[in-house]
């Protein structure tokens, strides 16, 4: 999970939770574990831990603590815990001051929460008083999954890895620590007898759709496609698509049916990178099929998306797969995401209904209605949206500029073209439509987005095929 920090340059000492009077209930191992995880532990978590009276409850708390931060609960390894343990060992060595482990210093906590800074400079304006470690200024710049107001933040440390007194960085770092929790549904709740609820009892039970992914089958025809990619607020890429099933059991006269839809992303090593499950109230089309959307956020890389749709009433279900190549948007090269061809764009009055068939295509106040297989009726219309990232900045002005336009081709020859639009930005969202298709002869076409980076003078294109019937 990412965050957005708005930090002033004047920073303060960390607001580490003070030791409580109840600490004598903790044995040596409990106290050591608490010291080990304090840089990422929330104040309320520490209070809960100290309030636990039984050793067994504290051990269960530790399991829940790490599970809340585990990026993949389906694997035996906790990648976050392993990464944190390695980073803490580095911090202990790099920032050790007067016998104090480096992870317990202000430098250490910032390092463990924000990672290695992009730049570390000694602050020579702090005088020549002797110290074990000189004053420093750390600079962090935007990176995937981590952004800052203005594109960067500088954190000043006084001598011996202390943050200046008087500011409120502690609260802000606590929010960063909170962003590391990816499973907030796992909690430190108590049972009726006053003991902490065991982790095993809190883990989600496999839904019928999830069970289907473990033993795939085809009870009825199903197809799926990836339709949209957009940079997510977390710095990764949001991938949305459609799944269509024919032959889902239907009650006489029913216009819709509740189905479970789950999407599972498998990386190149065959590990589950993300999974999302939801119940959908899907409408029957004239041909008896039902269509639903799915959406998942992924890091750059090649994936296989397994999409399952299950009728919970009959237990019947099917799985379809589609490959997805998620680009790295952290580069300096222009990247055009796949074009999204739409039947239309509707107004959305509020947050998307999670049971709505196209909930994964609701963007702000707009509900996109994508076309399955990009087939359009001659009597209808078509809209096209795109997304362009990483236009170059002019070294002299610091400003980016790009031009874009659309061309529709048939048999390689242009049949329609828009005028070029100029955008003074690194990112653009080119779009056209709705385009009436009455004047388009039946057949297959290509819609092409043309992009010219006005700084580097490079040209880029992205194509998508569609058919008019």
């Amino acid at each position: 999970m990412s965050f957005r920090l708005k930090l002033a340059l004047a920073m303060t000492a960390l607001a580490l939770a003070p030791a409580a009077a109840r600490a004598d209930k903790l044995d040596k191992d409990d106290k050591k574990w608490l010291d080990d995880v304090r840089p990422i532990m929330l104040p309320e978590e520490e209070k809960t831990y100290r309030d636990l009276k039984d050793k067994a409850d504290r051990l269960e708390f530790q399991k829940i603590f790490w599970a809340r931060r585990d990026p993949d609960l389906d694997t035996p390894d906790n990648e976050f815990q392993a990464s944190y343990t390695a980073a803490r060992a580095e911090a202990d060595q790099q920032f050790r001051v007067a016998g104090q482990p480096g992870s317990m210093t202000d430098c250490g906590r910032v390092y463990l929460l924000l990672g290695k800074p992009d730049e570390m400079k000694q602050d020579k304006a702090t005088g020549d008083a002797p110290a074990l470690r000189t004053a420093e200024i750390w600079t962090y710049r935007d990176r995937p999954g981590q952004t800052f107001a203005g594109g960067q933040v500088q954190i000043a440390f006084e001598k011996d890895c202390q943050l200046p007194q008087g500011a409120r960085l502690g609260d802000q770092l606590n929010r960063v620590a909170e962003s590391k929790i990816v499973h907030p549904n796992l909690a430190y709740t108590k049972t009726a007898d006053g003991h902490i609820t065991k982790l095993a009892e809190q883990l989600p039970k496999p839904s019928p759709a999830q069970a289907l992914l473990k033993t795939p089958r085809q009870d009825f025809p199903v197809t799926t496609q990836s339709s949209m990619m957009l940079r997510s607020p977390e710095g990764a890429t949001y991938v949305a698509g459609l799944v269509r099933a024919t032959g889902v059991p239907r009650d006489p006269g029913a216009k819709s049916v509740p189905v479970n839809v789950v999407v599972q992303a498998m990386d190149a090593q065959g590990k589950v990178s993300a999974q999302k499950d939801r119940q959908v109230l899907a409408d029957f089309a004239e041909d008896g099929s039902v269509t639903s959307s799915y959406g998942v956020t992924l890091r750059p890389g090649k994936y296989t998306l397994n999409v399952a749709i299950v009728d919970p009433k009959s237990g019947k279900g099917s799985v379809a797969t589609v490959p997805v190549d998620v680009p790295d948007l952290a580069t300096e090269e222009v990247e055009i995401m796949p074009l999204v061809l739409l039947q239309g764009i509707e107004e959305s009055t509020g947050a998307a209904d999670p049971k709505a068939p196209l909930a994964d295509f609701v963007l702000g106040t707009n509900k996109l209605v994508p076309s399955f297989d990009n087939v359009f009726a001659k009597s209808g219309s078509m809209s096209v949206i795109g997304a362009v990232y990483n236009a170059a900045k002019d070294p002299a002005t610091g400003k980016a500029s790009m031009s874009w336009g659309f061309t529709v081709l048939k048999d390689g020859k242009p049949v329609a073209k828009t005028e070029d639009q100029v955008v003074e930005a690194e990112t653009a969202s080119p779009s056209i439509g709705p385009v009436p298709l009455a004047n388009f002869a039946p057949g297959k076409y290509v819609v092409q987005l043309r992009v010219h980076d006005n700084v580097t003078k490079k040209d880029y294109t992205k194509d998508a095929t569609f058919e008019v019937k």
Side-chain angles (χ1 to χ4, degrees):
M1 181 178 288
S2 71
F3 54 90
R4 191 163 186 85
L5 291 176
K6 295 182 180 179
L7 301 179
L9 294 184
M11 299 296 183
T12 186
L14 299 181
L16 297 178
R22 294 180 296 272
D24 58 354
K25 294 187 298 184
L26 307 182
D27 62 25
K28 181 179 179 181
D29 291 338
D30 295 332
K31 293 177 181 178
K32 182 182 184 306
W33 183 84
L34 192 59
D35 286 341
D36 287 346
V37 302
R38 184 174 278 112
I40 58 171
M41 176 175 263
L42 304 182
E44 55 267 29
E45 286 184 311
E46 181 169 352
K47 182 181 184 303
T48 299
Y49 186 73
R50 290 183 178 278
D51 284 340
L52 296 173
K53 296 180 174 60
D54 293 345
K55 177 71 172 180
D57 281 343
R58 290 195 285 274
L59 292 175
E60 196 65 37
F61 178 103
Q62 294 176 21
K63 294 179 183 178
I64 298 171
F65 177 90
W66 289 118
R68 279 159 59 90
R69 295 158 172 84
D70 187 352
D72 188 354
L73 293 170
D74 289 331
T75 61
D77 299 325
N78 187 324
E79 294 81 3
F80 177 86
Q81 183 178 358
S83 175
Y84 175 79
T85 300
R88 182 170 55 81
E90 294 176 5
D92 282 341
Q93 293 298 320
Q94 291 187 36
F95 311 118
R96 179 178 295 274
V97 177
Q100 183 183 29
S103 61
M104 300 299 292
T105 67
D106 291 349
C107 286
R109 190 184 186 200
V110 172
Y111 182 87
L112 289 170
L113 287 175
L114 300 184
K116 183 178 180 180
D118 295 286
E119 190 176 317
M120 300 171 65
K121 289 185 177 180
Q122 290 188 356
D123 186 357
K124 300 180 179 180
T126 56
D128 297 325
L132 297 175
R133 186 179 180 88
T134 60
E136 293 179 334
I137 297 177
W138 292 9
T139 300
Y140 287 91
R141 301 185 180 91
D142 286 353
R143 58 186 69 173
Q146 181 174 293
T147 59
F148 305 93
Q152 71 173 34
V153 66
Q154 290 186 322
I155 302 177
F157 293 94
E158 294 181 343
K159 297 172 182 178
D160 295 342
C161 264
Q162 297 299 310
L163 288 162
Q165 300 293 316
R168 299 184 57 81
L169 182 60
D171 290 341
Q172 294 165 325
L173 290 179
N174 284 337
R175 288 197 292 272
V176 179
E178 188 174 6
S179 74
K180 308 298 182 183
I181 298 174
V182 294
H183 302 289
N185 56 301
L186 302 178
Y188 310 105
T189 56
K190 299 288 185 65
T191 60
D193 60 5
H195 291 286
I196 196 167
T197 304
K198 294 184 180 298
L199 172 63
E201 297 174 9
Q202 298 188 57
L203 292 174
K205 304 301 185 291
S207 70
Q210 292 171 336
L212 181 60
L213 291 177
K214 296 182 182 296
T215 54
R217 63 181 189 275
Q218 296 284 324
D219 293 333
F220 42 72
V222 64
T223 55
T224 188
Q225 66 181 43
S226 173
S227 302
M228 180 173 70
M229 290 188 190
L230 297 173
R231 181 153 54 191
S232 73
E234 294 79 12
T237 297
Y238 177 69
V239 179
L242 298 173
V243 58
R244 174 173 289 176
T246 304
V248 175
R250 180 177 186 177
D251 292 336
K255 296 182 179 180
S256 60
V257 61
V259 293
N260 290 103
V261 177
V262 62
V263 55
Q264 180 189 74
M266 306 289 290
D267 64 16
Q269 288 71 44
K271 294 184 178 181
V272 177
S273 296
Q275 187 164 296
K276 184 179 179 182
D277 190 353
R278 71 185 182 103
Q279 188 179 70
V280 176
L281 186 61
D283 297 326
F284 284 104
E286 292 183 1
D287 62 359
S289 65
V290 295
T291 301
S292 173
S293 66
Y294 61 83
V296 65
T297 301
L298 300 171
R299 299 293 178 185
K302 296 181 181 297
Y303 298 88
T304 298
L305 299 187
N306 301 313
V307 187
I309 186 167
V310 175
D311 171 32
K313 185 176 180 179
S314 66
K316 293 184 177 181
S318 294
V319 180
T321 63
V322 59
V324 171
D325 189 355
V326 179
D328 185 358
L329 299 179
T331 66
E332 296 182 357
E333 187 71 16
V334 166
E335 186 72 47
I336 307 177
M337 305 303 263
L339 302 181
V340 185
L341 277 56
L342 306 170
Q343 299 281 3
I345 302 176
E346 301 174 2
E347 287 291 327
S348 176
T349 57
D353 179 358
K355 291 188 177 181
L358 297 180
D360 299 289
F361 282 87
V362 175
L363 304 176
T365 60
N366 296 316
K367 182 176 79 172
L368 309 184
V369 184
S371 169
F372 201 94
D373 291 334
N374 292 344
V375 176
F376 297 84
K378 181 177 172 64
S379 59
S381 63
M382 178 182 73
S383 296
V384 184
I385 62 172
V388 185
Y389 301 103
N390 303 332
K393 290 183 178 180
D394 189 317
T397 65
K399 295 182 179 180
S401 176
M402 72 176 91
S403 305
W404 62 263
F406 285 93
T407 301
V408 178
L409 305 101
K410 182 170 176 44
D411 300 326
K413 298 178 180 180
V415 296
K417 188 176 182 179
T418 67
E419 295 184 359
D420 284 354
Q421 305 289 321
V422 178
V423 178
E424 303 291 338
E426 296 177 71
T427 301
S429 301
S431 64
I432 55 170
V435 178
L437 299 175
N439 294 328
F440 284 73
K444 294 185 177 181
Y445 294 81
V446 172
V447 58
Q448 182 180 82
L449 171 60
R450 314 178 311 276
V451 176
H452 179 75
D453 189 316
N454 296 324
V455 174
T456 64
K457 309 302 181 184
K458 292 183 179 180
D459 293 308
Y460 305 84
T461 60
K462 179 68 71 172
D463 296 352
T465 61
F466 68 96
E467 184 176 0
V468 176
K469 286 189 175 182

